[in-house]
């Protein structure tokens, strides 16, 4: 094919080359070279006719799991989706990839519907999106009997479970599909990690011995960070100044604060808007649309915003207030970085937020108060953690991350702890001796031997622990007490004017049966500081900016959101590779045949002009880029691995241990990048070695993610690289 053919060919894509394997479809229609873990197995399960359940986090890549089978199977795939508003976007995105699809709903005229029906019957369409209400009508069933249905795909399948947070009664009727179409396989997909819900899905759909795929819920591309809750607005402004021109969401607790925050940001010249449930519906959808189209960059919103928002280039999510539980938090941060490119999440945390929630709960006194409090506490543990935050997050979803993640603030800036048992004992003893009646500030005064009126009036200068904590500053005491509250040594009596009381661990600490580690206040998370020098981002250079501008123009012309044209990851790859021919453009991840035809020429023009104009200073640009690698340590390892180096060679090159290199690769593989863990293992570990190591893991177990015991058990026969790889895949 000559270069221009790629743009001018009128032949339908599907007829232009041999498509036999799922991977051929992935390349041709989506422009991706490799499947993410499980995608291919899921596709094979479906095309072999088996009922299949898929649990994969947001952004994991669920769509291709039913869209590729839809393309491969002879008839049509009926997709059931609860979000009518989203169907249009989804179908639009399919068209951009050259996949014939339509949606069917009551906003369409009878004529429109008949055209769609005809296209289904004639086999023109491969996917038909429909709401459960519509699907379950008699008329629709009669229609379906005239069509070759090859697959039912139930999206957002957690809606079927009354345990879930998003229960839709219509979903429970979907079991009739199996009765009416017993020979048609069903695939159910959800991003919900809740165990009860998982169980419900297969049974309620009446599935027949389904294959169940549970992918890792780790999203390694999301960085995790917690910041102290003081001066939030100033901190947010500094954060935003560091990321110009990117889209993000700031979640606030109240409607009022979404409005006031947006106003303050606008005053500072930011492109911000607000969104909450009490807005006029027309305003709401206009605001949402503006955000999808990149016309509004910063959305200050309550958690009403984001449900079913498919925007893949949300680059950051900030929580102005701490969410009530980890499920909610995980779902909200999950809206960032769906395209797989790096994205930042920030949680502002102050103890006052927790107190507010507890008060609210106490007031409402819901039936499941205990459960809600327990969930709040888990959330607080995340915010207070001195160990890898991702490990905490994943452990909540019963998933173990063997090594610290390297992409959270604790990993990047490890905290130093010291034995704070004596300090805890002093505080507890003062609490006990004052009859568990004094609030925090007064307790600190007592510990520091203050002669304040409150101290003297209460006669607290007479107790034995008076002045026992003189050596510490007031602020330090406050910090330590917060830490002690958060680990359960001390408790706050919200119903008793905030008097401090003994927590669940108090007795053990007082008896000397339990050691308490504390972090020095100087090591605790600090507020955001202004960056004096902003470094250019390696993946976001001038060329990326120009490509982004072109993408926005094309998107506006086509009346679609920019990320539907190309994702940020694709633009990054384009800016890195700088292709100048259609064939080279094909090598860019995310450029499929259809998009090459539609947009290839325009993007190549911009790249060619850029290369021409910078050819003199090209080297300079490159040097700046190389000097400031912003790529994560895992990414750097992956880059070297992709050049064909072995783990040992990468370790030597990067002056890291083989164990670290292997664990980077395991993390990359598990986080859904184009790297398959099994392939990785088989290229470095023989089957016999693997069996040997697995036996040792079974015998010794993996304690706290440490492999030393296994290394010793195997008498050092295998290096940590091999152990890490096998352990990474063990029991998954
Ligand atoms: P989900 O429905 O699970 O939230 P999507 O199906 O929307 O996720 O996929 C998220 C992003 O990942 C999309 O931009 C999609 O094109 C991309 N993606 C999916 N599979 C792959 C793959 N094998 N390689 C690279 N990118 C992929
Ligand atoms: Zn971490």
């Amino acid at each position: 094919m000559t270069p221009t053919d790629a743009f001018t060919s009128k032949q339908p894509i599907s007829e232009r080359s041999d498509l036999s394997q799922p991977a051929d479809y992935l390349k041709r229609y989506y422009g991706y070279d490799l499947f993410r873990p499980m995608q291919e197995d899921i596709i094979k399960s479906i095309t072999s006719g088996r009922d299949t359940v898929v649990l994969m986090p947001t952004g994991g890549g669920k769509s291709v799991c039913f869209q590729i089978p839809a393309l491969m199977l002879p008839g049509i795939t009926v997709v059931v989706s609860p979000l009518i508003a989203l169907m249009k976007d989804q179908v639009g995105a399919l068209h951009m990839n050259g996949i014939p699809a339509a949606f069917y709903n009551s906003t369409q005229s009878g004529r429109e519907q008949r055209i769609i029906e005809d296209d289904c019957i004639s086999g023109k369409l491969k996917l038909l999106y429909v709401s459960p209400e519509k699907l379950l009508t008699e008329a629709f069933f009669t229609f379906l009997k005239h069509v070759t249905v090859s697959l039912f795909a139930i999206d957002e399948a957690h809606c079927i479970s009354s345990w879930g947070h998003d229960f839709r009664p219509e979903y429970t009727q979907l079991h009739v599909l199996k009765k009416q179409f017993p020979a048609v396989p069903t695939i159910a997909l959800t991003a919900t990690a809740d165990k009860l819900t998982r169980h419900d899905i297969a049974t309620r759909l009446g599935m027949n011995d389904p294959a169940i795929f549970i992918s890792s819920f780790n999203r390694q591309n999301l960085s995790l960070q917690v910041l102290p809750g003081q001066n939030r607005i100033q901190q947010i402004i500094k954060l935003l100044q560091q990321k110009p021109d990117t889209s993000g969401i700031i979640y606030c607790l109240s409607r009022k604060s979404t409005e006031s925050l947006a106003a303050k940001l606008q005053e500072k010249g930011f492109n911000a808007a607000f969104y909450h449930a009490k807005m006029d519906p027309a305003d709401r959808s206009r605001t949402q649309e503006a955000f999808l189209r990149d016309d509004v960059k910063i959305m200050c919103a309550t958690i009403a915003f984001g449900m079913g928002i498919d925007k893949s280039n949300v680059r950051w999510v900030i929580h102005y207030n701490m969410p009530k539980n980890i499920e909610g938090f995980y779902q909200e941060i999950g809206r960032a970085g769906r395209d797989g490119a790096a994205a930042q999440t920030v949680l502002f945390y102050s103890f006052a937020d927790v107190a507010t929630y507890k008060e609210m709960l106490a007031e409402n006194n819901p039936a499941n108060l205990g459960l809600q409090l327990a969930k709040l506490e888990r959330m607080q543990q995340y915010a207070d953690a001195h160990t890898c935050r991702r490990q905490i997050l994943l452990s909540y979803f019963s998933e173990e991350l063997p090594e610290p993640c390297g992409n959270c603030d604790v990993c990047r800036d490890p905290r130093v702890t010291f034995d704070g048992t004596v300090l805890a004992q002093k505080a507890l003893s003062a609490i006990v001796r004052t009859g568990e009646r004094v609030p925090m500030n007064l307790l600190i005064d007592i510990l520091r031997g203050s002669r304040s009126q409150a101290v003297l009036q209460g006669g607290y200068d007479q107790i034995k622990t008076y002045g026992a904590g003189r050596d510490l500053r007031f602020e330090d005491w406050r910090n330590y007490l917060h830490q002690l509250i958060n680990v359960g040594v001390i408790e706050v009596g919200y119903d008793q004017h905030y008097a401090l009381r003994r927590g669940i661990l108090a007795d053990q600490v007082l008896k000397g049966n339990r050691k308490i580690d504390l972090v020095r206040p100087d090591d605790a998370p600090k507020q955001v500081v202004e960056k004096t020098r902003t470094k250019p981002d390696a993946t976001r250079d001038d060329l990326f900016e120009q490509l982004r501008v072109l993408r926005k123009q094309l998107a506006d012309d086509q009346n679609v959101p920019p990320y539907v044209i190309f994702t940020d990851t694709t633009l990054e790859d384009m800016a890195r590779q700088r292709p100048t021919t259609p064939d080279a453009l094909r090598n860019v991840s995310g450029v499929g045949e259809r998009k090459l035809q539609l947009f290839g020429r325009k993007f190549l023009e911009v790249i060619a002009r850029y290369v021409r104009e910078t050819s003199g200073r090209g080297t300079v640009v490159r040097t700046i880029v190389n000097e400031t690698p912003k790529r994560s340590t895992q990414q750097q390892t992956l880059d070297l691995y992709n050049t064909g180096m072995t783990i040992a060679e990468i370790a030597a090159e990067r002056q890291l241990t083989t164990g670290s290199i292997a664990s980077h690769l395991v993390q990359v593989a598990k986080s859904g990048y184009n790297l398959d863990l099994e392939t990785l293992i088989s290229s470095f570990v023989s089957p016999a070695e693997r069996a040997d190591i697995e036996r040792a893991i079974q015998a010794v177990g993996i304690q706290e993610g440490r492999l030393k015991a296994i290394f010793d058990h195997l008498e050092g026969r295998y290096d940590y690289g091999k152990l890490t790889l096998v352990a990474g895949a063990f029991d998954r």
Side-chain angles (χ1 to χ4, degrees), residues 26 32 34-36 39 57-63 338 567 674:
L26 184 70
Y32 299 130
L34 287 164
F35 279 111
R36 289 184 180 160
Q39 284 179 328
T58 310
K62 287 186 284 298
S63 313
R338 291 180 64 147
T567 64
N674 300 335

Side-chain angles (χ1 to χ4, degrees), residues 388-390 404-408 411:
C388 172
R389 293 198 203 277
R390 200 174 311 269
C405 75
N407 196 18
C408 73
C411 283

